[in-house]
Amino acid sequence: MRAKVWTFALRSLARQPGRAVLGILGVAAVGALLFDMLLLSRGLLVSFRALLDSAGFDVRVMAADAPAFARPRIADAETAAAEIRALPDVDEVASLRLGSAIVTGPDGGKHDIFFIGADAETRRRPWILLEGSDLGASDSGGPPALVVNRRLATALLLRPGSELTLRGDCTRGSATAAPPVRFRIAGFAAFPFDDPKAMTAAARLADFGRTCGLDEKSDADLFLVASREGRGPAAAVRAIRALRSDLHAFSNEEIVARFQQVGFSYFRQISAVLSTITLFFGFLLITVLLTVSVNQRFAEIAALRALGFTRRRVVLDVLAQAVLLVGAGGILSLPLGLALARWLESILHAMPEIPAAMHFFAFEPRALATHALLLALTAVLAALYPMRLVSRLPIAATLRSEMVT
Amino acid sequence: MSILSALFLFAAGAVPPPAPPPPDPPAILVSRQLLASEHLALGDVIALSGDAKGSRAREFRIAGVYEPVPDPGRLGMVPLEARLHLPDLVALIADPADPAASESVRSISVKLVSPAEASAFTRDLTARVPGLLLRELAASDDSDVTFVVLDRFHLAISLVTVIASSIFLLALMVMLVDERRDTVAILRLIGLRRRRIFIQVLGEGLVIALAGALFGVLLAVVLEGGFNRFFQWRYDTALVFVRVTPAIAARAVSVAVPLGILASVAASWSLLRRGAMALARR
């Protein structure tokens, strides 16, 4: 369309500023909701994938394909880890043991904490060190090292170098007879899957076993595996499955695909329903605005046609008005949508056990492209009926009727 | 041969006693989802084992099918379940090397004569049997929090929808009022007061808002079944996702009607405050 068409459409809208502003605001409101629903439809998947990838491990190995609370442990973990480590497609394997522990705060109050035992020999760690030093392969005398998250450090007034006593509680409800173990805080770390209220600590596997009264070479809950560069996680998964058919290996891709099917698919469904409703709403709004506007301008349009404006030209004018309304509303909907997403995110993040680093609304360029495409389609569809009215307008009859009126 | 003689022959040992029929496998119930996913049928005999390797498997007969109690906390997980008699389950999963394994259970459900005394019962039992973990089923847990959060989320979405609808409504009313500018001018010129026209606008707004709100409630009632059927099919559950209750309908109407009236008044305000001559473009 030429610049003249746009200018003319803009003038047509400016003649009724109240109506135009309301139209733009209406499109902005529905556009903001649509944008948020597009962010919501894949937000959890995108941030879950980012969390899985954050530690640098791209394959997870477990004893059974079952939820964590009902999953058996990998027996004789040290041997299994060594076998997997020896595979040519595997770069690194970290054994993880998960449990709980009880610590006493400075006020004498007891706190339940999430306790992780991890291989300290690996280059990659399932946490990100923020301050102090990481767990070493061994300690040079003194209490064993422990890394804790910020929340635990704040609650117990800890700093690197301070000491902390843990009483293990790692056998899923059964009491632990092991004596409490005194640890030295080596550093503070961010654990990707921590929820905002989680207090988490991690120690070497041997120290975890000692705290929980377990054999040093006992079972593991999970192996985190990093595939060798150039081979890829799919090859590593195939090799692990061929080596140990009793274990269940999944690449991050497979875990995300499964999460897409089961976990929080409710949000994808609701976003699909709400996106459809908002688009219909936007379509209705623009159709009504343009149809009424065209109805009121019949005489003017007929006069323009009589003066020499082609049918195509007046039809394009209606389309340009629709595009201007939806375009301006669509642009305005982006900051509105982002602000709304932050508000909705703060509401949804109150759900229990949602990692702090996980987001329900995650921005992706494809969401922006889909938003623009859907709004453009809405503008065109909404303009179809008024465009048809204009294209079939009988010039002489309309002018005569207007003169008589 | 008479019955008497037959009995005599049997007693004398002339006819060998029939071999006792093999004992029927113990009966179990399976969930509807398990029955469908494994293509089972009532009366089928299936083997169950306590571990993934299938060791120490025992045979059971499917005596019935049940619909699992819908659990919103497990939405998306297909409940592949079976119900066994407790002795059968213990025999299936107990570790033969552990003599105490057949003597222990994971949990015991208790129904009190007076549910109001649940807290006192819990305290009493904790004092008498230390080491037990007691939980009142009526007590709030994480899944309750999840649904409170979802409720807030839905409320926030409704708020945004109401804002968008209000703008739409305002735009419609502005156009309606614009269309009637000449009519209002004539009404004013023939002597009708502003107040009289205002009441008419208010009445029209009320009628439109009421009609719209009632249509919205009717639409929600019609769509309710469709939404529920879709999500029940999607998640293979008996959960009810949408329920239009009288309270919700009343709440929707109580928001929509005042908004509609407000929109019509706001739209007419610019028209009503002008003089009759200005309205008639003179």
Side-chain angles (χ1 to χ4, degrees):
Chain A
M1 279 192 277
R2 284 180 298 177
K4 272 197 283 188
V5 177
W6 293 110
T7 315
F8 193 75
L10 198 61
R11 282 186 184 157
S12 302
L13 288 175
R15 276 172 56 196
Q16 291 166 318
R19 195 180 295 185
V21 167
L22 283 174
I24 290 169
L25 285 179
V27 173
V30 294
L33 199 55
L34 174 68
F35 187 49
D36 283 357
M37 290 306 114
L38 291 172
L39 298 185
L40 179 66
S41 65
R42 284 179 47 84
L44 281 172
L45 283 184
V46 171
S47 56
F48 184 58
R49 178 68 202 246
L51 278 184
L52 285 176
D53 291 343
S54 63
F57 296 98
D58 47 16
V59 176
R60 262 89 178 147
V61 181
M62 46 203 98
D65 183 9
F69 60 85
R71 192 189 304 148
R73 297 196 176 99
I74 301 168
D76 195 8
E78 202 166 291
T79 311
E83 286 172 354
I84 294 172
R85 202 172 287 124
L87 289 169
D89 295 310
V90 170
D91 182 31
E92 205 167 33
V93 179
S95 302
L96 276 195
R97 192 75 209 254
L98 312 173
S100 306
I102 298 165
V103 292
T104 308
D107 56 349
K110 291 194 185 314
H111 300 273
D112 279 323
I113 67 163
F114 185 50
F115 189 31
I116 300 173
D119 268 339
E121 289 84 14
T122 54
R123 296 189 310 278
R124 301 172 181 86
R125 292 286 153 85
W127 57 76
I128 300 152
L129 189 71
L130 303 173
E131 191 183 332
S133 55
D134 213 330
L135 302 179
S138 63
D139 290 307
S140 50
L146 189 75
V147 289
V148 299
N149 70 353
R150 289 266 191 212
R151 188 172 160 78
L152 179 59
T154 309
L156 301 187
L157 309 174
L158 300 172
R159 53 192 166 75
S162 39
E163 294 190 357
L164 180 71
T165 303
L166 298 188
R167 181 180 286 277
D169 179 17
C170 312
T171 45
R172 294 181 183 159
S174 308
T176 302
V181 176
R182 190 135 190 93
F183 283 91
R184 175 184 51 82
I185 307 298
F188 300 153
F191 296 85
F193 284 91
D194 269 357
D195 69 60
K197 291 180 184 168
M199 293 202 275
T200 308
R204 280 188 296 264
L205 273 176
D207 300 325
F208 177 95
R210 201 149 57 86
T211 312
C212 293
L214 305 168
D215 175 14
E216 195 180 320
K217 291 181 180 175
S218 67
D219 311 343
D221 285 281
L222 184 70
F223 290 150
L224 299 176
V225 178
S227 63
R228 196 170 292 283
E229 208 175 326
R231 303 286 180 100
V237 166
R238 274 197 302 275
I240 294 166
R241 284 177 185 160
L243 175 76
R244 293 287 301 257
S245 58
D246 57 324
L247 297 180
H248 295 254
F250 300 99
S251 65
N252 288 357
E253 197 104 17
E254 289 169 326
I255 293 172
V256 170
R258 179 165 297 211
F259 183 74
Q260 187 168 10
Q261 272 187 336
V262 180
F264 294 103
S265 64
Y266 174 75
F267 289 107
R268 278 189 296 115
Q269 307 291 337
I270 199 167
S271 71
V273 171
L274 282 174
S275 301
T276 313
I277 292 174
T278 50
L279 277 176
F280 178 69
F281 203 70
F283 161 79
L284 212 60
L285 176 67
I286 301 302
T287 306
V288 170
L289 277 177
L290 290 179
T291 306
V292 174
S293 169
V294 161
N295 275 331
Q296 288 177 345
R297 291 174 54 218
F298 270 163
E300 179 193 322
I301 294 166
L304 288 172
R305 290 292 315 280
L307 285 172
F309 272 55
T310 60
R311 178 176 285 145
R312 185 169 174 274
R313 177 77 168 76
V314 287
V315 165
L316 281 180
D317 176 47
V318 176
L319 181 63
Q321 284 186 49
V323 171
L324 284 174
L325 281 176
V326 174
I331 290 168
L332 197 59
S333 74
L334 295 178
L336 270 180
L338 288 174
L340 183 63
R342 287 189 71 169
W343 178 48
L344 294 175
E345 179 83 49
S346 70
I347 292 175
L348 287 174
H349 241 286
M351 275 192 188
E353 294 177 10
I354 296 288
M358 202 146 158
H359 301 290
F360 289 83
F361 299 84
F363 178 78
E364 277 184 303
R366 66 184 265 183
L368 194 63
T370 312
H371 180 252
L373 189 73
L374 288 174
L375 284 184
L377 199 67
T378 307
V380 172
L381 288 176
L384 280 181
Y385 178 65
M387 277 159 66
R388 185 169 173 271
L389 286 180
V390 169
S391 69
R392 295 188 170 193
L393 190 70
I395 304 170
T398 308
L399 286 175
R400 184 172 178 282
S401 144
E402 196 65 21
M403 288 302 291
V404 170
T405 311
Chain B
M1 198 187 320
S2 70
I3 292 174
L4 196 64
S5 55
L7 280 175
F8 175 76
L9 284 174
F10 180 78
V15 178
D24 259 359
I28 60 166
L29 300 179
V30 296
S31 66
R32 175 182 57 78
Q33 291 83 351
L34 178 60
L35 194 85
S37 78
E38 298 302 315
H39 309 292
L40 302 172
L42 285 180
D44 279 2
V45 173
I46 59 170
L48 294 182
S49 166
D51 61 50
K53 290 176 184 163
S55 58
R56 293 171 52 221
R58 294 187 62 202
E59 287 194 334
F60 293 90
R61 184 177 49 79
I62 300 174
V65 186
Y66 70 96
E67 181 70 42
V69 176
D71 180 0
R74 298 180 65 191
L75 191 65
M77 296 179 196
V78 182
L80 303 176
E81 301 171 351
R83 298 272 166 93
L84 284 73
H85 290 291
L86 186 59
D88 293 336
L89 180 69
V90 170
L92 187 69
I93 62 169
D95 181 359
D98 181 4
S102 59
E103 298 296 326
S104 60
V105 289
R106 186 168 290 181
S107 65
I108 299 172
S109 302
V110 178
K111 182 168 172 59
L112 298 180
V113 175
S114 170
E117 292 171 8
S119 299
F121 174 79
T122 305
R123 276 196 305 274
D124 191 27
L125 197 59
T126 308
R128 286 178 190 216
V129 192
L132 279 186
L133 180 67
L134 287 106
R135 192 164 75 85
E136 288 176 51
L137 287 182
S140 63
D141 61 8
D142 277 358
S143 63
D144 292 338
V145 178
T146 302
F147 288 98
V148 169
V149 171
L150 279 181
D151 197 34
R152 275 190 222 137
F153 173 68
H154 292 159
L155 199 66
I157 294 283
S158 327
L159 194 69
V160 178
T161 314
V162 165
I163 292 171
S165 322
S166 306
I167 296 170
F168 187 18
L169 194 62
L170 199 59
L172 276 178
M173 295 312 284
V174 164
M175 287 186 289
L176 187 73
V177 166
D178 262 10
E179 290 251 331
R180 301 177 66 188
R181 179 187 169 126
D182 294 341
T183 317
V184 173
I186 293 167
L187 289 174
R188 292 290 309 281
L189 286 172
I190 62 172
L192 263 71
R193 290 186 173 187
R194 278 200 179 102
R195 188 183 158 77
R196 169 72 181 76
I197 298 171
F198 179 72
I199 289 170
Q200 184 173 337
V201 168
L202 211 62
E204 275 183 18
L206 179 68
V207 170
I208 292 172
L210 264 177
L214 291 177
F215 177 73
V217 170
L218 273 177
L219 191 67
V221 170
V222 170
L223 292 178
E224 180 185 354
F227 269 101
N228 282 331
R229 270 195 289 279
F230 172 76
F231 283 110
Q232 283 167 353
W233 163 78
R234 174 68 183 77
Y235 294 112
D236 196 5
T237 175
L239 273 178
V240 175
F241 290 81
V242 179
R243 183 172 281 160
V244 183
T245 61
I248 289 174
R251 201 160 141 195
V253 172
S254 69
V255 172
V257 172
L259 266 177
I261 296 171
L262 206 66
S264 62
V265 171
S268 332
W269 187 247
S270 64
L271 217 59
L272 288 171
R273 66 181 181 164
R274 289 190 208 167
M277 297 305 283
L279 281 172
R281 298 184 179 91
R282 294 286 186 275

